[in-house]
C-alpha cells in the first residue's frame, strides 16, 4: 500500500506497512488457516458472509419488522459465534491426546443432547409448517414439547461443552446443539410474536414461554463467557440473583420479587434483550464494524497509521504521538478498547520502546489512546448511536457535542506523552525508517471514506445510508491502489465484519439482560433518589459518586455494554438532580469508556501488557496515569456546558481554551515537567491545585489557576536564571 524504508533486521521492528489491522481476529484466523480448506472452515466463512450480508440487505433494501429483525439478529449472532468458537477448537490432526475421560459418559451426554436437539428442531419445523396455513390447528402439547426439548438441549450442550472439550477434526457436537438451540429460540419467538408482545413479562405466560426465554438467556451468557470472559458474566449473574433475592435485601435494594415466568419472559422484550442495546448492535454496530472490516481488507486502514507515522514519527517521542492519533482514529470505528490495542499496539508499542519509552509507558500510552478512540465523533465506537437511541437526542447533535471533550481527552494524552519525552530526552524515529510524506500525500484520497461519512451525515442522510456509502467508497478507492477489492476481497470483508461484530453482539445482548433487571426491579430509580439526596449536600459529591458507579459497572465490560448499563442506573439520577440529558449521558458515557483503563479490571491495559511483555496490573496502572488528566473532563463539561457546544460561540471558545490550559497544568503535575524544566514535588502539588481550580470554568477560578501556573513559571525562571541555566 505504501512505500516505506525498512528498519534494519537487527531492530526487530515490523515494517510499517504490515500493521496488524485485524486485531484480536488474527489469533483465531491463524489457527483456522489450517482448516480453511476443509468443510469446517468453509462452512464458518459462509455463515459469516451470509450473516453480514443479511444485515446489509435488511438495513438498505428490504427492512424486516423490528422485533423479528432483532430476534433474527441475536439468533444469527449466537449461531455464528458458537461456530467461530467451535472452529477455534478444531484439531486438524484429528483427535490427538484423548486422555482418560469417561467415554461412556460422553456418549450418553451426546445421545441425550442429540435427541433433545433433534426433537426441538422437529417441533419447530412443525410449528413453522402449521403457521403457513396448512389448516391444521396447533395443539397445546407442541409448544410445550418444543420448550422442554430446547431446555434440555441447551443445558446439556452448555454443560457438555465444559466437561468434554473438543478434540476432533470437526465442530464439536455440543456446539452444534447450541447452534440448533439458538435457531429454535428464534423460531418459537417469531411464531408466537403477536402474543409475545402482549403477554411477555405478565402472569399470562406459561411454561413453554418460560423455558424458551430462559434457554435464550443461557445461550447468550454462554457465548458471552466464551468471547468476553467471566467479568461480564459475573456481573450479569449478580443482577440475575438480585432479581430473586430482592425481597430479602435491605434499604434501596429491596423489591417485591418476581416469578420465574414473569422475570425471564420480561428479559426477552424490548425492555431487556430486545431493547436499545440490541437495537444498536443490529444496526449501527454491525454496519460500522463492517465498514472497519472494509477499511482493513482494502488496506485503507493501514494508510491511516502510516500517514500518522509520516507526519509525527520524527517528532520527540514520535511513535507515542503516532499511537495517540492512529489509535484514536481506528478506535473511533473499532468499538472495543482491547481490540484496538491489539490492532495498532502491535506496531506502535515496539517502536515506542525502541525510542526510549519504558515498556510500561509504551503499553500505558497505547491503552489510554485506544480507549479514547471511542469518544471521537462521528462514530464514537457506536456509543453515539446508543446514546441517541436512549435519549432521543438527534445523532448529529451528539456527535457535534463530542468534539471538544474528545479533543481535550487526546490533548491530555498527547501532553502526557510530550512531557515524558521532554523530561527523558527522547527523540523520534530516523527519517529513513518512516513512510515518505510525499508518498502519503499522493494517496490522501484514501481518506475519502471518512470524508464521505462525515459529509453525508451532516448533509442529513440517515446514519445507515451514510455508513453504507462510506463502506462502498472504501471498496472503490481501493481500486486506485495495488490492494483493490475484487469479489474475493469483498467476501473476506463481509466475513471479517461478522467475526468482529459477534463479540459486540454478544455483550450487547448480555447487557440487555442487565438492563432488563434494572428496568423490572426499579433499582435504577432508587439509585437516582440516592443521588438526589447526595445532591442536597453537594453536587460535586453526587457527581463523584456517579463517576465511581459508572466506572465500577463498566469494569470488565466493553464500552457499549458498560454505557448501556450505567445509563440505566446512573443517568436518570443525574437528570433528577437537574442536569440536562445530554450532559448526564455524556458524563456517564465518558466514565464508562475510561473504565477500560481503570485498575484493577482494565481490559485495555491488560491487552497492552500482553504486547509490551510487562506486568498486567502495572501496565493498567500506567494507562490510568496517562489517562488521569482526562478524568477531570466530565466535571469540566458539567460546570461548563459550553464544552458540549451549549451556549454562545465566544463562551465556548473561552471555556475550551481555559480547559486546555487546565489539562496542561494537570499533565505537567503528573509528569513532573512544566514548560521547559523539571518540577519538584511542591511545584507539582501547586500545578495540580491550579488545574483543579480551572475545572469549574468560572472566571475567578480560572484566574486563580492561571495565577498559580504563572507563579510556578516565575519561580522556575528565577531559579534557572540564578543558576545561569535559563531554559529556552
Amino acid at each position: 500500500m505504501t512505500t516505506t524504508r525498512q528498519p534494519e533486521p537487527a531492530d526487530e521492528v515490523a515494517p510499517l506497512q504490515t500493521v496488524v489491522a485485524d486485531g484480536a481476529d488474527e489469533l483465531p484466523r491463524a489457527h483456522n488457516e489450517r482448516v480453511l480448506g476443509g468443510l469446517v472452515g468453509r462452512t464458518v466463512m459462509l455463515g459469516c458472509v451470509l450473516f453480514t450480508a443479511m444485515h446489509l440487505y435488511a438495513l438498505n433494501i428490504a427492512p424486516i419488522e423490528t422485533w423479528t429483525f432483532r430476534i433474527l439478529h441475536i439468533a444469527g449472532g449466537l449461531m455464528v459465534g458458537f461456530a467461530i468458537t467451535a472452529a477455534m477448537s478444531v484439531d486438524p490432526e484429528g483427535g490427538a491426546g484423548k486422555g482418560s475421560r469417561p467415554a461412556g459418559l460422553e456418549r450418553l451426554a451426546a445421545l441425550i443432547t442429540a435427541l433433545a436437539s433433534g426433537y426441538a428442531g422437529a417441533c419447530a419445523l412443525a410449528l413453522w409448517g402449521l403457521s403457513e396455513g396448512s389448516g391444521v390447528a396447533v395443539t397445546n402439547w407442541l409448544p410445550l414439547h418444543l420448550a422442554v426439548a430446547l431446555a434440555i438441549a441447551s443445558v446439556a450442550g452448555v454443560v457438555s461443552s465444559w466437561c468434554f472439550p473438543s478434540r476432533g477434526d470437526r465442530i464439536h457436537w455440543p456446539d452444534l446443539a447450541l447452534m440448533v438451540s439458538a435457531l429454535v429460540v428464534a423460531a418459537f419467538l417469531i411464531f408466537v410474536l403477536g402474543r409475545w408482545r402482549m403477554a411477555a413479562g405478565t402472569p399470562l405466560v406459561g411454561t413453554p414461554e418460560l423455558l424458551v426465554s430462559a434457554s435464550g438467556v443461557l445461550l447468550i451468557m454462554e457465548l458471552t463467557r466464551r468471547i468476553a470472559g467471566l467479568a461480564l458474566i459475573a456481573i450479569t449473574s449478580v443482577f440475575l440473583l438480585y432479581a430473586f433475592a430482592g425481597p430479602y435485601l435491605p434499604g434501596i435494594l429491596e423489591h417485591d420479587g418476581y416469578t420465574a415466568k414473569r422475570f425471564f419472559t420480561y428479559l426477552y422484550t424490548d425492555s431487556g434483550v430486545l431493547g436499545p442495546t440490541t437495537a444498536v448492535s443490529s444496526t449501527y454496530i454491525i454496519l460500522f464494524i463492517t465498514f472497519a472490516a472494509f477499511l482493513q481488507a482494502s488496506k485503507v486502514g493501514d494508510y491511516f497509521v502510516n500517514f500518522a507515522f509520516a507526519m509525527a514519527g520524527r517528532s520527540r517521542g514520535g511513535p507515542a504521538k503516532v499511537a495517540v492519533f492512529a489509535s484514536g482514529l481506528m478506535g473511533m470505528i473499532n468499538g472495543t478498547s482491547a481490540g484496538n490495542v491489539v490492532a495498532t499496539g502491535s506496531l506502535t508499542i515496539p517502536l515506542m520502546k525502541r525510542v526510549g519509552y519504558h515498556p510500561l509507558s509504551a503499553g500505558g500510552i497505547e491503552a489510554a489512546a485506544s480507549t479514547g478512540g471511542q469518544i471521537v465523533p462521528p462514530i464514537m465506537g457506536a456509543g453515539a448511536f446508543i446514546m441517541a437511541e436512549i435519549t432521543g437526542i438527534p445523532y448529529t447533535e451528539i456527535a457535534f457535542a463530542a468534539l471538544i471533550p474528545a479533543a481535550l481527552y487526546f490533548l491530555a494524552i498527547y501532553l502526557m506523552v510530550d512531557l515524558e519525552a521532554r523530561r527523558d530526552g527522547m527523540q523520534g524515529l530516523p527519517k529513513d525508517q518512516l513512510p515518505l510524506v510525499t508518498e502519503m500525500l499522493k494517496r490522501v484520497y484514501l481518506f475519502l471514506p471518512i470524508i464521505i461519512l462525515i459529509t453525508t451525515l451532516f448533509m442529513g442522510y440517515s446514519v445507515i445510508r451514510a455508513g453504507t456509502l462510506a463502506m462502498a467508497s472504501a471498496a472503490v478507492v481501493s481500486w486506485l491502489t495495488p490492494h483493490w477489492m475484487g469479489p474475493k476481497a469483498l467476501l473476506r470483508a463481509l466475513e471479517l465484519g461478522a467475526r468482529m461484530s459477534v463479540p459486540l453482539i454478544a455483550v450487547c445482548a448480555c447487557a440487555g439482560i442487565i438492563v432488563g433487571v434494572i428496568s423490572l426491579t426499579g433499582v435504577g430509580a432508587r439509585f437516582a433518589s440516592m443521588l438526589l439526596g447526595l445532591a442536597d449536600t453537594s453536587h460535586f459529591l453526587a457527581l463523584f459518586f456517579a463517576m465511581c458507579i459508572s466506572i465500577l459497572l463498566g469494569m470488565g465490560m466493553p464500552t457499549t455494554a458498560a454505557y448501556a448499563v450505567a445509563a440505566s442506573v446512573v443517568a436518570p439520577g443525574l437528570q433528577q438532580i437537574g442536569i440536562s440529558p445530554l450532559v448526564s449521558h455524556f458524563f456517564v458515557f465518558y466514565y464508562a469508556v475510561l473504565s477500560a483503563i481503570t485498575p484493577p479490571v482494565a481490559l485495555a491495559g491488560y491487552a497492552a501488557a500482553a504486547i509490551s511483555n510487562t506486568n498486567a496490573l502495572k501496565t493498567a496502572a500506567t494507562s490510568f496515569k496517562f489517562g488521569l488528566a482526562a478524568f477531570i473532563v466530565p466535571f469540566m463539561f458539567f460546570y461548563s456546558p459550553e464544552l458540549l457546544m451549549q451556549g454562545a460561540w465566544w463562551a465556548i471558545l473561552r471555556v475550551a481554551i481555559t480547559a486546555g490550559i487546565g489539562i496542561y497544568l494537570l499533565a505537567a503535575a503528573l509528569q513532573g515537567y512544566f514548560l521547559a524544566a523539571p518540577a519538584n514535588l511542591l511545584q507539582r502539588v501547586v500545578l495540580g491545585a491550579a488545574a483543579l481550580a480551572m475545572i469549574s470554568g468560572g472566571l475567578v477560578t480560572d484566574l486563580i489557576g492561571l495565577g498559580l501556573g504563572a507563579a510556578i513559571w516565575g519561580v522556575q525562571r528565577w531559579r534557572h536564571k540564578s543558576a545561569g541555566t535559563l531554559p529556552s
Side-chain angles (χ1 to χ4, degrees):
M1 182 198 70
T2 61
T3 301
T4 62
R5 294 171 180 162
Q6 308 298 331
E8 294 298 324
D11 292 331
E12 298 182 355
V13 177
L16 296 185
Q17 68 265 41
T18 59
V19 177
V20 181
D22 291 351
D25 177 63
E26 285 302 307
L27 292 178
R29 175 163 299 281
H31 172 84
N32 287 339
E33 288 293 345
R34 299 159 58 197
V35 294
L36 281 178
L39 180 62
V40 171
R42 291 177 180 176
T43 303
V44 172
M45 290 176 64
L46 178 62
C48 290
V49 170
L50 292 176
F51 178 73
T52 307
M54 181 274 289
H55 282 80
L56 296 178
Y57 182 78
L59 291 174
N60 291 282
I61 299 175
I64 301 174
E65 190 276 331
T66 302
W67 278 41
T68 303
F69 181 57
R70 295 178 188 177
I71 291 169
L72 291 174
H73 168 73
I74 292 176
L78 289 171
M79 294 177 68
V80 171
F82 285 127
I84 291 174
T85 56
M88 290 171 61
S89 63
V90 167
D91 179 9
E93 305 301 327
K98 291 187 176 182
S100 58
R101 290 191 309 239
L105 183 59
E106 182 175 356
R107 284 197 295 268
L108 177 61
L111 177 62
I112 293 173
T113 306
L115 290 175
S117 297
Y119 190 65
C123 291
L125 288 174
L127 280 176
W128 183 268
L130 295 177
S131 69
E132 293 298 315
S134 62
V136 180
V138 177
T139 58
N140 291 332
W141 61 265
L142 189 56
L144 180 60
H145 281 223
L146 179 151
V148 172
L150 170 65
I152 293 173
S154 300
V155 173
V158 170
V159 174
S160 297
S161 68
W162 298 346
C163 299
F164 311 114
S166 173
R167 52 201 169 93
D169 59 353
R170 63 196 66 186
I171 290 181
H172 202 25
W173 55 266
D175 299 309
L176 291 172
L178 296 178
M179 285 185 266
V180 172
S181 295
L183 186 61
V184 171
V185 169
F188 179 88
L189 292 176
I190 293 173
F191 175 75
V192 301
L193 188 58
R195 181 172 178 271
W196 189 266
R197 288 177 181 274
M198 302 296 296
T202 72
L204 300 177
V205 294
T207 301
E209 289 84 357
L210 163 64
L211 294 176
V212 170
S213 56
S215 298
V217 169
L218 175 65
L219 294 172
I220 290 170
M221 293 182 67
E222 169 60 13
L223 182 60
T224 305
R225 181 194 68 81
R226 295 185 181 192
I227 289 176
L230 291 175
L232 180 54
I233 294 302
I235 295 172
T236 307
S237 299
V238 169
F239 276 91
L240 292 175
L241 181 62
Y242 168 67
F244 295 102
Y248 312 103
L249 297 175
I252 65 169
L253 296 177
E254 182 182 5
H255 62 77
D256 294 335
Y258 310 95
T259 64
K261 291 180 181 179
R262 181 185 176 191
F263 174 68
F264 281 105
T265 55
Y266 183 87
L267 292 184
Y268 241 96
T269 66
D270 60 356
S271 295
V273 171
L274 303 180
T277 55
T278 295
V280 172
S281 73
S282 63
T283 51
Y284 307 125
I285 285 180
I286 193 164
L287 176 67
F288 283 98
I289 289 294
T290 306
F291 174 44
F294 268 70
L295 291 179
Q296 294 176 12
S298 63
K299 304 299 182 184
V300 175
D302 291 11
Y303 173 79
F304 296 161
V305 179
N306 283 341
F307 186 88
F309 266 105
M311 295 300 169
R314 294 184 64 190
S315 63
R316 184 173 44 243
K321 294 175 181 177
V322 169
V324 173
F325 293 118
S327 298
L329 186 60
M330 296 301 292
M332 170 186 70
I333 303 170
N334 198 312
T336 58
S337 301
N340 193 33
V341 168
V342 177
T344 57
S346 55
L347 173 68
T348 58
I349 289 175
L351 290 172
M352 279 190 272
K353 290 164 65 176
R354 181 180 156 187
V355 298
Y357 282 95
H358 189 281
L360 285 174
S361 293
I365 291 168
E366 178 59 45
S370 293
T371 297
Q374 292 169 91
I375 63 171
V376 177
I379 300 174
M380 297 169 63
F385 308 124
I386 297 180
M387 196 181 300
E389 186 79 20
I390 293 174
T391 63
I393 299 171
Y395 162 79
T396 51
E397 183 178 337
I398 291 173
F400 190 58
L403 287 172
I404 296 178
L408 290 176
Y409 182 96
F410 280 95
L411 175 65
I413 305 296
Y414 181 90
L415 290 173
M416 291 286 287
V417 165
D418 185 66
L419 290 172
E420 180 164 326
R422 281 176 174 267
R423 185 192 66 201
D424 298 341
M426 298 180 194
Q427 301 298 321
L429 288 172
K431 182 179 179 180
D432 62 353
Q433 294 180 11
L434 292 170
L436 298 174
V437 175
T438 54
E439 291 296 322
M440 294 296 101
L441 293 177
K442 288 179 182 178
R443 294 171 173 79
V444 74
Y445 56 82
L446 292 176
F447 277 110
L448 191 61
I450 301 297
I451 295 172
I452 287 176
L453 174 64
I454 296 172
T455 303
T456 51
L457 283 173
F458 284 94
M459 285 174 61
Y461 283 69
S462 71
V463 177
I464 300 295
R465 183 55 54 88
T468 303
L469 290 173
M471 185 190 311
S473 68
V476 172
V477 298
S478 74
W479 298 344
L480 304 176
T481 74
H483 306 283
W484 71 283
M485 295 185 71
K488 186 176 180 180
L490 290 173
L491 292 176
R492 160 76 173 118
L494 293 175
E495 179 210 355
L496 181 58
R499 287 177 176 270
M500 296 168 64
S501 299
V502 163
L504 290 176
I505 293 169
V507 299
C508 283
C510 200
I513 297 173
I514 300 175
V515 171
V517 174
I518 294 170
S519 175
L520 182 62
T521 60
V523 68
R526 289 192 287 276
F527 268 105
S529 64
M530 182 174 63
L531 284 178
L532 190 61
L534 286 172
D536 290 338
T537 304
S538 166
H539 268 76
F540 178 82
L541 186 61
L543 286 170
F544 181 79
F545 189 67
M547 175 193 76
C548 294
I549 295 176
S550 299
I551 292 174
L552 184 63
L553 290 174
M555 284 185 175
M557 291 203 290
T559 303
T560 47
Y563 167 64
V565 174
S568 300
V569 176
V570 182
L574 296 178
Q575 291 176 234
Q576 279 197 17
I577 64 177
I579 303 175
S580 71
L582 183 65
V583 174
S584 299
H585 281 268
F586 257 104
F587 188 92
V588 169
F589 176 66
Y590 215 95
Y591 286 117
V593 170
L594 292 175
S595 66
I597 57 171
T598 306
V601 185
L603 295 183
Y606 294 165
I611 300 174
S612 58
N613 295 317
T614 52
N615 178 273
L617 193 56
K618 289 182 179 179
T619 305
T622 306
S623 67
F624 175 76
K625 185 193 83 168
F626 275 96
L628 188 59
F631 273 74
I632 68 171
V633 173
F635 287 90
M636 285 182 169
F637 58 65
F638 164 72
Y639 288 110
S640 304
E642 292 85 357
L643 289 177
L644 296 179
M645 302 293 188
Q646 309 291 301
W649 69 266
W650 56 267
I652 294 172
L653 181 62
R654 179 187 69 83
V655 171
I657 292 173
T658 56
I661 296 172
I663 290 289
Y664 177 81
L665 294 174
L666 184 56
L670 291 171
Q671 291 289 32
Y673 199 92
F674 181 59
L675 296 178
N680 59 34
L681 180 59
L682 178 60
Q683 292 171 346
R684 294 172 70 176
V685 171
V686 174
L687 288 170
L692 295 176
M694 303 187 76
I695 289 179
S696 67
L699 182 60
V700 174
T701 54
D702 284 347
L703 290 175
I704 291 173
L706 290 172
L708 291 174
I712 297 299
W713 174 78
V715 169
Q716 283 191 342
R717 190 172 181 84
W718 174 78
R719 289 183 60 187
H720 285 280
K721 186 175 182 180
S722 300
T725 58
L726 189 66
S728 58

